[in-house]
Amino acid sequence: MLYSQESSGTRPVEPVGALATAVALFAAIGAAANLVGLLVLAFGFFPDPGRYDDSLAVSTALGTLLLVCALGYGAVLTVRGDEDGRFTVLVAAGVWTVVGVAGVFAALRGYRSEYGIHWAEEGGPAVDIATSTAGLVGSVTAMVHGDWLVNLTGLVLPVIIVTLAASAIPSAAPSPSAPPPSAATAIDEVVAITTGVLAAFVGLLGAVGSCLGLVVALGSDNEVAPVVFIGFGVGALIALLWLLGALLLFLRRNAGRLILIILSAIALLGAFVLAAAVGGLVGWLPLVLSGAVFGLSVARPTGRWIAARRRPLLNARAPMDDSRSSGAVTAR
């Protein structure tokens, strides 16, 4: 259990839960993405400085460096149970999100700078989408190129971090004289069970899809590359993780909630690109399902429903402790 030091003494604080762990994890991923973007900018700028506008390159590099430090430091504080870490992550990811939103609006309006900004050239849809995930550098690159899909792809990761950090911040700290929280309400139970059912459904879809793909590949007359079978194996493993997360959530374990948050957040990245590229039911169904699981997993009712598992045990121990105390007083 984590402890915080105060002037009045040492008091126990709430252990770092699944949501706080997810905040720290994705903040660290965001810091790593920005670090990669900074290295890409450095390797592109120093060999040929004429390809970039100096002022924009320097400001982007400084902003990226600040994001690396802020997200990394915020992740460390969050792991240690310090609320300042969540606020640091929220502010840093919020700034990153604002840049991404500006790029999306500029691309949708077809805005082009009259000054002819010099920047890295476009490398095709796949390369541009991959570059857009490289932190602030990727967001600026996508903004300069003006492709709305690339800008939206670069916006996914900071939005996920902002959502997690905002959901993890408690609304108010309970006072010492406040009564203990009540058990989970019916709404909490419905939200948590709906999350588990949707996650189990996603896991079953993935398992069935992997099995069908494997059967088709084995029955094909053409030679199938080994990487295809590796892909089926990875897909089956991910499906099992979805089912494991759903099972642990039904058992009211924080580990299940953490697994579902991570899986649904990662699935959102791929589902968004799939929906934009393919469209139709096949493209939008994964986006809707992963988005629903992510939103319900980070919701407070799910956390309250999991936390209520321990309260009956605590309430049952209270009378025993009172009886022991009264017995000790009588003996004296």
Side-chain angles (χ1 to χ4, degrees):
M1 178 175 289
L2 298 175
Y3 294 89
S4 62
Q5 302 292 334
E6 292 188 348
S7 57
S8 58
T10 303
R11 65 175 181 87
V13 299
E14 182 182 359
V16 176
L19 194 54
T21 305
V23 172
L25 175 62
F26 278 92
I29 293 175
N34 277 277
L35 183 59
V36 170
L38 186 61
L39 293 176
V40 170
L41 179 61
F43 282 113
F45 178 81
F46 287 109
D48 188 8
R51 294 174 53 195
Y52 295 84
D53 283 341
D54 294 342
S55 58
L56 182 59
V58 171
S59 59
T60 301
L62 291 177
T64 303
L65 184 59
L66 288 175
L67 282 181
V68 171
C69 297
L71 291 173
Y73 182 63
V76 172
L77 291 182
T78 303
V79 169
R80 296 172 57 185
D82 193 334
E83 290 296 327
D84 291 341
R86 302 179 189 181
F87 283 103
T88 303
V89 171
L90 180 61
V91 172
V95 173
W96 184 6
T97 302
V98 169
V99 176
V101 170
V104 171
F105 276 106
L108 291 176
R109 293 178 59 88
Y111 173 78
R112 294 286 182 176
S113 175
E114 299 178 356
Y115 298 99
I117 297 176
H118 297 286
W119 203 254
E121 297 180 357
E122 299 182 27
V127 175
D128 291 342
I129 288 176
T131 304
S132 69
T133 61
L136 185 62
V137 173
S139 298
V140 172
T141 303
M143 184 187 301
V144 173
H145 292 166
D147 190 328
W148 67 270
L149 176 58
V150 176
N151 279 277
L152 276 177
T153 305
L155 189 59
V156 173
L157 181 56
V159 167
I160 290 176
I161 298 175
V162 167
T163 303
L164 290 173
S167 302
I169 297 175
S171 56
S175 61
S177 60
S182 59
T185 63
I187 296 179
D188 299 342
E189 186 173 3
V190 169
V191 171
I193 292 178
T194 302
T195 307
V197 170
L198 288 177
F201 179 66
V202 173
L204 290 175
L205 283 180
V208 171
S210 298
C211 292
L212 290 178
L214 182 61
V215 170
V216 171
L218 292 175
S220 177
D221 296 333
N222 299 325
E223 184 178 356
V224 180
V227 68
V228 175
F229 294 102
I230 296 176
F232 289 142
V234 173
L237 178 60
I238 294 175
L240 290 177
L241 287 176
W242 278 100
L243 295 173
L244 176 63
L247 176 62
L248 292 177
L249 182 62
F250 286 135
L251 296 175
R252 295 188 174 188
R253 302 291 181 179
N254 262 328
R257 188 186 184 197
L258 176 60
I259 291 174
L260 294 183
I261 290 174
I262 295 174
L263 287 177
S264 58
I266 296 174
L268 271 175
L269 293 171
F272 180 82
V273 177
L274 180 65
V278 177
L281 181 62
V282 176
W284 286 102
L285 181 60
L287 180 64
V288 172
L289 288 176
S290 57
V293 175
F294 177 77
L296 293 174
S297 298
V298 302
R300 294 187 186 278
T302 304
R304 288 197 298 264
W305 185 73
I306 295 174
R309 176 179 62 92
R310 304 183 184 91
R311 289 169 191 156
L313 298 176
L314 295 177
N315 295 335
R317 292 174 182 172
M320 297 177 60
D321 294 338
D322 294 340
S323 61
R324 291 176 182 175
S325 301
S326 60
V329 172
T330 303
R332 292 180 182 176

